[in-house]
Amino acid sequence: QVHVVESGGGLVQPGGSLNLSCTASGDIFRIGIMAWYRQAPGKEREFVADITTGGLTNYADFVEGRFTISRDNAKDAMYLQMNTLKSEDADSYYCYMTLTLRAGKGDVWGQGTQVTVSS
C-alpha cells in the first residue's frame, strides 16, 4: 500500500509564488520518474514537469522558466516551486510517480492540491 500526499496549494495573487510538495509513504523499494500534472474542471489533465531519479528535468512549454521541480530521494518527496503565477495557472495540481514495490512495479497519483490565482 502506497500513500501519496500533496500540499502547498492555496490562494495567491497574480505574480505571486507557491511551493507544492508531494510525499510518498509505504512499502516502497524505489521511486522512478516523478512528475506534476494539472487539470482544470472539464479539461484534460496536462503535463507540467517531471524529474528523473538522477535529477534531469523536463518542463511544459507554458512554464516559461517560472517553475522549478525538485526531489529529495531520501524523503521520497518532490516539490514544485512556482513563481510569477498567472491566472491561467489556476488548476488542481497532481503528483505522479512510478514505483518499484516489493510486489512489483506500478505508478500512483496523488489526490491533488488546488491552486487559485486571483486578485
Side-chain angles (χ1 to χ4, degrees):
Q1 187 80 14
V2 176
H3 191 50
V4 177
V5 177
E6 295 142 335
S7 61
L11 172 64
V12 63
Q13 293 185 345
S17 298
L18 285 174
N19 189 23
L20 306 184
S21 299
C22 173
T23 303
S25 61
D27 195 12
I28 300 169
F29 179 69
R30 180 179 178 273
I31 297 177
I33 288 283
M34 302 181 85
W36 289 98
Y37 285 75
R38 68 185 192 184
Q39 186 173 22
K43 294 187 177 182
E44 293 188 355
R45 192 167 294 187
E46 65 176 349
F47 170 80
V48 177
D50 65 18
I51 183 168
T52 68
T53 304
L56 296 177
T57 59
N58 183 37
Y59 295 92
D61 290 342
F62 63 77
V63 169
E64 299 175 323
R66 300 178 296 127
F67 299 173
T68 302
I69 188 172
S70 61
R71 65 189 285 170
D72 185 335
N73 292 328
K75 295 181 179 180
D76 289 339
M78 172 179 63
Y79 311 96
L80 185 68
Q81 176 65 42
M82 303 190 294
N83 299 324
T84 319
L85 283 162
K86 307 174 182 179
S87 58
E88 51 263 43
D89 294 319
D91 280 325
S92 291
Y93 283 71
Y94 298 86
C95 68
Y96 167 85
M97 59 188 72
T98 61
L99 305 166
T100 301
L101 310 174
R102 293 185 186 277
K105 293 185 177 182
D107 55 14
V108 65
W109 290 91
Q111 81 288 351
T113 185
Q114 181 67 42
V115 171
T116 303
V117 184
S118 176
S119 55

